[in-house]
Amino acid sequence: MAGGAGVVVEPLAREHWRAVERIYQEGIATGHATFDPSPPSPEDFFATRLPEHRFVAMESAHLVGWVAATRVSPRVAYAGVLEESVYVAAEARGRGVGRVLLASLIESTERAGVWTLQASVFPENEPSLLLHEGLGFRRIGVRERIAKMTYGPLAGRWRDTVLLERRSPVAGLV
């Protein structure tokens, strides 16, 4: 799948793990990407991210970002509700890589009948908020003091997250 600015999107596979882990760690280092102090193990990552809804962005055979979706609940009633994460390498930020990745995820989930994609973003991560809103996500609310940071300069601080969701027009819910 071709994206903008020379970016090619392909399925995220096990051979991509080292680059995915490096980009995940770069996001963690910002302090505004996740509550997790370190990337998961490859076993945990691949066990929880849905194979049909995980992609990487390649630029000249160099992995510059990834996106993946997880189930929000094992309950049948929530089968069409997924949570997504999108990460872009530091050197590729601001060039549309995140947009290409998230658009690819939206396309794959709509083909699969997913009716809601959700994301949880730190309010300080304005580029991520703008990316999501530009692709049809809307702010549902702020989860105030939802969890405490355990690492970095914000360790010990309670953090808010912005809950965003995108309802699929294909599912007729918009």
Side-chain angles (χ1 to χ4, degrees):
M1 188 177 331
V7 174
V8 175
V9 175
E10 59 185 58
L12 191 163
R14 288 191 180 272
E15 60 264 20
H16 297 125
W17 175 247
R18 289 283 179 225
V20 166
E21 181 182 43
R22 175 185 55 80
I23 293 167
Y24 206 136
Q25 188 59 55
E26 288 176 358
I28 289 169
T30 70
H32 300 305
T34 179
F35 283 107
D36 296 330
S38 60
S41 70
E43 295 77 25
D44 287 346
F45 183 91
F46 287 102
T48 57
R49 276 59 172 198
L50 301 170
E52 65 276 21
H53 304 302
R54 58 183 192 223
F55 301 99
V56 293
M58 305 295 291
E59 258 182 354
S60 304
H62 182 67
L63 198 150
V64 293
W66 61 271
V67 66
T70 58
R71 299 214 173 279
V72 298
S73 172
R75 296 168 59 194
V76 174
Y78 294 100
V81 183
L82 303 180
E83 182 167 2
E84 55 82 8
S85 297
V86 58
Y87 284 73
V88 176
E91 76 271 10
R93 292 182 192 144
R95 298 199 326 243
V97 172
R99 183 175 185 80
V100 171
L101 283 165
L102 193 51
S104 296
L105 180 69
I106 289 168
E107 182 182 319
S108 77
T109 57
E110 287 190 348
R111 272 196 321 269
V114 170
W115 57 83
T116 302
L117 276 178
Q118 68 181 38
S120 187
V121 177
F122 289 118
E124 298 86 355
N125 193 343
E126 192 63 30
S128 185
L129 292 170
L130 292 171
L131 166 66
H132 284 85
E133 290 173 334
L135 287 170
F137 284 76
R138 65 187 178 100
R139 294 180 193 213
I140 299 302
V142 174
R143 300 175 82 190
E144 297 175 348
R145 298 170 50 99
I146 189 69
K148 194 182 282 188
M149 288 299 283
T150 60
Y151 69 92
L154 299 175
R157 275 190 53 196
W158 288 97
R159 301 284 304 273
D160 297 347
T161 58
V162 178
L163 182 60
L164 300 122
E165 78 172 14
R166 183 182 188 284
R167 304 300 294 262
S168 171
V170 175
L173 297 173
V174 206

PDB file of all heavy atoms in Angstrom, residues 14-31:
ATOM      1  N   ARG A  14       7.050  -9.970  12.394  1.00  0.00           N
ATOM      2  CA  ARG A  14       8.057 -10.203  13.438  1.00  0.00           C
ATOM      3  C   ARG A  14       9.444  -9.675  13.058  1.00  0.00           C
ATOM      4  O   ARG A  14      10.192  -9.221  13.921  1.00  0.00           O
ATOM      5  CB  ARG A  14       8.123 -11.677  13.797  1.00  0.00           C
ATOM      6  CG  ARG A  14       6.894 -12.102  14.586  1.00  0.00           C
ATOM      7  CD  ARG A  14       7.073 -13.497  15.178  1.00  0.00           C
ATOM      8  NE  ARG A  14       5.875 -13.843  15.926  1.00  0.00           N
ATOM      9  CZ  ARG A  14       5.674 -13.547  17.205  1.00  0.00           C
ATOM     10  NH1 ARG A  14       6.596 -12.915  17.877  1.00  0.00           N
ATOM     11  NH2 ARG A  14       4.559 -13.897  17.812  1.00  0.00           N
ATOM     12  N   GLU A  15       9.785  -9.728  11.783  1.00  0.00           N
ATOM     13  CA  GLU A  15      11.119  -9.245  11.385  1.00  0.00           C
ATOM     14  C   GLU A  15      11.272  -7.730  11.543  1.00  0.00           C
ATOM     15  O   GLU A  15      12.372  -7.195  11.492  1.00  0.00           O
ATOM     16  CB  GLU A  15      11.478  -9.664   9.961  1.00  0.00           C
ATOM     17  CG  GLU A  15      10.542  -9.149   8.898  1.00  0.00           C
ATOM     18  CD  GLU A  15       9.464 -10.158   8.505  1.00  0.00           C
ATOM     19  OE1 GLU A  15       9.180 -11.093   9.286  1.00  0.00           O
ATOM     20  OE2 GLU A  15       8.895  -9.992   7.417  1.00  0.00           O
ATOM     21  N   HIS A  16      10.166  -7.030  11.782  1.00  0.00           N
ATOM     22  CA  HIS A  16      10.208  -5.585  12.011  1.00  0.00           C
ATOM     23  C   HIS A  16      10.430  -5.234  13.481  1.00  0.00           C
ATOM     24  O   HIS A  16      10.572  -4.055  13.826  1.00  0.00           O
ATOM     25  CB  HIS A  16       8.890  -4.930  11.560  1.00  0.00           C
ATOM     26  CG  HIS A  16       8.616  -5.061  10.113  1.00  0.00           C
ATOM     27  ND1 HIS A  16       7.443  -5.604   9.627  1.00  0.00           N
ATOM     28  CD2 HIS A  16       9.342  -4.709   9.026  1.00  0.00           C
ATOM     29  CE1 HIS A  16       7.462  -5.587   8.311  1.00  0.00           C
ATOM     30  NE2 HIS A  16       8.612  -5.050   7.914  1.00  0.00           N
ATOM     31  N   TRP A  17      10.448  -6.242  14.364  1.00  0.00           N
ATOM     32  CA  TRP A  17      10.392  -5.970  15.793  1.00  0.00           C
ATOM     33  C   TRP A  17      11.475  -5.005  16.275  1.00  0.00           C
ATOM     34  O   TRP A  17      11.187  -4.075  17.019  1.00  0.00           O
ATOM     35  CB  TRP A  17      10.425  -7.252  16.628  1.00  0.00           C
ATOM     36  CG  TRP A  17      10.500  -6.903  18.080  1.00  0.00           C
ATOM     37  CD1 TRP A  17      11.544  -7.131  18.927  1.00  0.00           C
ATOM     38  CD2 TRP A  17       9.529  -6.186  18.841  1.00  0.00           C
ATOM     39  NE1 TRP A  17      11.273  -6.615  20.180  1.00  0.00           N
ATOM     40  CE2 TRP A  17      10.032  -6.020  20.147  1.00  0.00           C
ATOM     41  CE3 TRP A  17       8.268  -5.652  18.554  1.00  0.00           C
ATOM     42  CZ2 TRP A  17       9.346  -5.370  21.161  1.00  0.00           C
ATOM     43  CZ3 TRP A  17       7.572  -4.998  19.563  1.00  0.00           C
ATOM     44  CH2 TRP A  17       8.104  -4.862  20.841  1.00  0.00           C
ATOM     45  N   ARG A  18      12.715  -5.187  15.913  1.00  0.00           N
ATOM     46  CA  ARG A  18      13.793  -4.334  16.444  1.00  0.00           C
ATOM     47  C   ARG A  18      13.526  -2.858  16.137  1.00  0.00           C
ATOM     48  O   ARG A  18      13.695  -2.000  16.998  1.00  0.00           O
ATOM     49  CB  ARG A  18      15.153  -4.760  15.892  1.00  0.00           C
ATOM     50  CG  ARG A  18      15.646  -6.064  16.440  1.00  0.00           C
ATOM     51  CD  ARG A  18      16.177  -5.875  17.850  1.00  0.00           C
ATOM     52  NE  ARG A  18      16.635  -7.155  18.370  1.00  0.00           N
ATOM     53  CZ  ARG A  18      16.348  -7.581  19.575  1.00  0.00           C
ATOM     54  NH1 ARG A  18      15.608  -6.872  20.377  1.00  0.00           N
ATOM     55  NH2 ARG A  18      16.793  -8.737  19.995  1.00  0.00           N
ATOM     56  N   ALA A  19      13.113  -2.551  14.923  1.00  0.00           N
ATOM     57  CA  ALA A  19      12.823  -1.156  14.552  1.00  0.00           C
ATOM     58  C   ALA A  19      11.567  -0.657  15.260  1.00  0.00           C
ATOM     59  O   ALA A  19      11.513   0.490  15.715  1.00  0.00           O
ATOM     60  CB  ALA A  19      12.678  -1.026  13.037  1.00  0.00           C
ATOM     61  N   VAL A  20      10.550  -1.504  15.373  1.00  0.00           N
ATOM     62  CA  VAL A  20       9.323  -1.135  16.090  1.00  0.00           C
ATOM     63  C   VAL A  20       9.662  -0.820  17.545  1.00  0.00           C
ATOM     64  O   VAL A  20       9.230   0.190  18.099  1.00  0.00           O
ATOM     65  CB  VAL A  20       8.259  -2.261  15.994  1.00  0.00           C
ATOM     66  CG1 VAL A  20       7.131  -2.061  16.990  1.00  0.00           C
ATOM     67  CG2 VAL A  20       7.726  -2.350  14.569  1.00  0.00           C
ATOM     68  N   GLU A  21      10.460  -1.674  18.162  1.00  0.00           N
ATOM     69  CA  GLU A  21      10.866  -1.468  19.553  1.00  0.00           C
ATOM     70  C   GLU A  21      11.645  -0.159  19.711  1.00  0.00           C
ATOM     71  O   GLU A  21      11.433   0.597  20.670  1.00  0.00           O
ATOM     72  CB  GLU A  21      11.715  -2.651  20.006  1.00  0.00           C
ATOM     73  CG  GLU A  21      12.173  -2.562  21.451  1.00  0.00           C
ATOM     74  CD  GLU A  21      13.053  -3.734  21.835  1.00  0.00           C
ATOM     75  OE1 GLU A  21      13.940  -4.123  21.040  1.00  0.00           O
ATOM     76  OE2 GLU A  21      12.859  -4.253  22.941  1.00  0.00           O
ATOM     77  N   ARG A  22      12.554   0.147  18.764  1.00  0.00           N
ATOM     78  CA  ARG A  22      13.340   1.384  18.825  1.00  0.00           C
ATOM     79  C   ARG A  22      12.428   2.604  18.756  1.00  0.00           C
ATOM     80  O   ARG A  22      12.573   3.554  19.537  1.00  0.00           O
ATOM     81  CB  ARG A  22      14.349   1.427  17.673  1.00  0.00           C
ATOM     82  CG  ARG A  22      15.136   2.742  17.581  1.00  0.00           C
ATOM     83  CD  ARG A  22      16.044   2.793  16.356  1.00  0.00           C
ATOM     84  NE  ARG A  22      15.366   2.563  15.096  1.00  0.00           N
ATOM     85  CZ  ARG A  22      14.653   3.486  14.436  1.00  0.00           C
ATOM     86  NH1 ARG A  22      14.501   4.696  14.931  1.00  0.00           N
ATOM     87  NH2 ARG A  22      14.093   3.184  13.280  1.00  0.00           N
ATOM     88  N   ILE A  23      11.454   2.579  17.858  1.00  0.00           N
ATOM     89  CA  ILE A  23      10.531   3.705  17.706  1.00  0.00           C
ATOM     90  C   ILE A  23       9.616   3.815  18.930  1.00  0.00           C
ATOM     91  O   ILE A  23       9.320   4.924  19.395  1.00  0.00           O
ATOM     92  CB  ILE A  23       9.737   3.577  16.392  1.00  0.00           C
ATOM     93  CG1 ILE A  23      10.698   3.736  15.211  1.00  0.00           C
ATOM     94  CG2 ILE A  23       8.597   4.580  16.324  1.00  0.00           C
ATOM     95  CD1 ILE A  23      10.108   3.330  13.867  1.00  0.00           C
ATOM     96  N   TYR A  24       9.191   2.691  19.455  1.00  0.00           N
ATOM     97  CA  TYR A  24       8.390   2.680  20.687  1.00  0.00           C
ATOM     98  C   TYR A  24       9.178   3.357  21.809  1.00  0.00           C
ATOM     99  O   TYR A  24       8.664   4.211  22.537  1.00  0.00           O
ATOM    100  CB  TYR A  24       8.069   1.229  21.059  1.00  0.00           C
ATOM    101  CG  TYR A  24       6.829   0.993  21.879  1.00  0.00           C
ATOM    102  CD1 TYR A  24       5.962  -0.047  21.565  1.00  0.00           C
ATOM    103  CD2 TYR A  24       6.524   1.758  22.995  1.00  0.00           C
ATOM    104  CE1 TYR A  24       4.834  -0.306  22.315  1.00  0.00           C
ATOM    105  CE2 TYR A  24       5.393   1.502  23.764  1.00  0.00           C
ATOM    106  CZ  TYR A  24       4.562   0.472  23.423  1.00  0.00           C
ATOM    107  OH  TYR A  24       3.442   0.219  24.181  1.00  0.00           O
ATOM    108  N   GLN A  25      10.470   2.985  21.929  1.00  0.00           N
ATOM    109  CA  GLN A  25      11.324   3.559  22.970  1.00  0.00           C
ATOM    110  C   GLN A  25      11.492   5.066  22.771  1.00  0.00           C
ATOM    111  O   GLN A  25      11.512   5.819  23.744  1.00  0.00           O
ATOM    112  CB  GLN A  25      12.691   2.863  22.983  1.00  0.00           C
ATOM    113  CG  GLN A  25      13.560   3.271  24.151  1.00  0.00           C
ATOM    114  CD  GLN A  25      12.925   2.985  25.500  1.00  0.00           C
ATOM    115  OE1 GLN A  25      12.526   1.866  25.794  1.00  0.00           O
ATOM    116  NE2 GLN A  25      12.807   4.003  26.325  1.00  0.00           N
ATOM    117  N   GLU A  26      11.608   5.527  21.538  1.00  0.00           N
ATOM    118  CA  GLU A  26      11.689   6.968  21.270  1.00  0.00           C
ATOM    119  C   GLU A  26      10.432   7.680  21.762  1.00  0.00           C
ATOM    120  O   GLU A  26      10.512   8.771  22.331  1.00  0.00           O
ATOM    121  CB  GLU A  26      11.867   7.239  19.774  1.00  0.00           C
ATOM    122  CG  GLU A  26      13.214   6.885  19.224  1.00  0.00           C
ATOM    123  CD  GLU A  26      13.316   7.089  17.722  1.00  0.00           C
ATOM    124  OE1 GLU A  26      12.315   7.473  17.071  1.00  0.00           O
ATOM    125  OE2 GLU A  26      14.420   6.865  17.197  1.00  0.00           O
ATOM    126  N   GLY A  27       9.281   7.073  21.535  1.00  0.00           N
ATOM    127  CA  GLY A  27       8.031   7.648  22.033  1.00  0.00           C
ATOM    128  C   GLY A  27       8.005   7.704  23.544  1.00  0.00           C
ATOM    129  O   GLY A  27       7.622   8.715  24.142  1.00  0.00           O
ATOM    130  N   ILE A  28       8.433   6.623  24.187  1.00  0.00           N
ATOM    131  CA  ILE A  28       8.481   6.574  25.644  1.00  0.00           C
ATOM    132  C   ILE A  28       9.383   7.693  26.174  1.00  0.00           C
ATOM    133  O   ILE A  28       9.044   8.368  27.148  1.00  0.00           O
ATOM    134  CB  ILE A  28       8.967   5.187  26.126  1.00  0.00           C
ATOM    135  CG1 ILE A  28       7.877   4.140  25.858  1.00  0.00           C
ATOM    136  CG2 ILE A  28       9.351   5.214  27.593  1.00  0.00           C
ATOM    137  CD1 ILE A  28       8.327   2.705  26.035  1.00  0.00           C
ATOM    138  N   ALA A  29      10.509   7.917  25.509  1.00  0.00           N
ATOM    139  CA  ALA A  29      11.476   8.931  25.953  1.00  0.00           C
ATOM    140  C   ALA A  29      10.888  10.345  25.951  1.00  0.00           C
ATOM    141  O   ALA A  29      11.345  11.194  26.712  1.00  0.00           O
ATOM    142  CB  ALA A  29      12.724   8.881  25.075  1.00  0.00           C
ATOM    143  N   THR A  30       9.862  10.595  25.140  1.00  0.00           N
ATOM    144  CA  THR A  30       9.253  11.929  25.122  1.00  0.00           C
ATOM    145  C   THR A  30       8.475  12.199  26.402  1.00  0.00           C
ATOM    146  O   THR A  30       8.226  13.351  26.750  1.00  0.00           O
ATOM    147  CB  THR A  30       8.282  12.103  23.937  1.00  0.00           C
ATOM    148  OG1 THR A  30       7.118  11.291  24.146  1.00  0.00           O
ATOM    149  CG2 THR A  30       8.936  11.790  22.598  1.00  0.00           C
ATOM    150  N   GLY A  31       8.033  11.138  27.087  1.00  0.00           N
ATOM    151  CA  GLY A  31       7.209  11.292  28.281  1.00  0.00           C
ATOM    152  C   GLY A  31       5.754  11.587  27.971  1.00  0.00           C
ATOM    153  O   GLY A  31       4.942  11.734  28.876  1.00  0.00           O
TER     154      GLY A  31
END
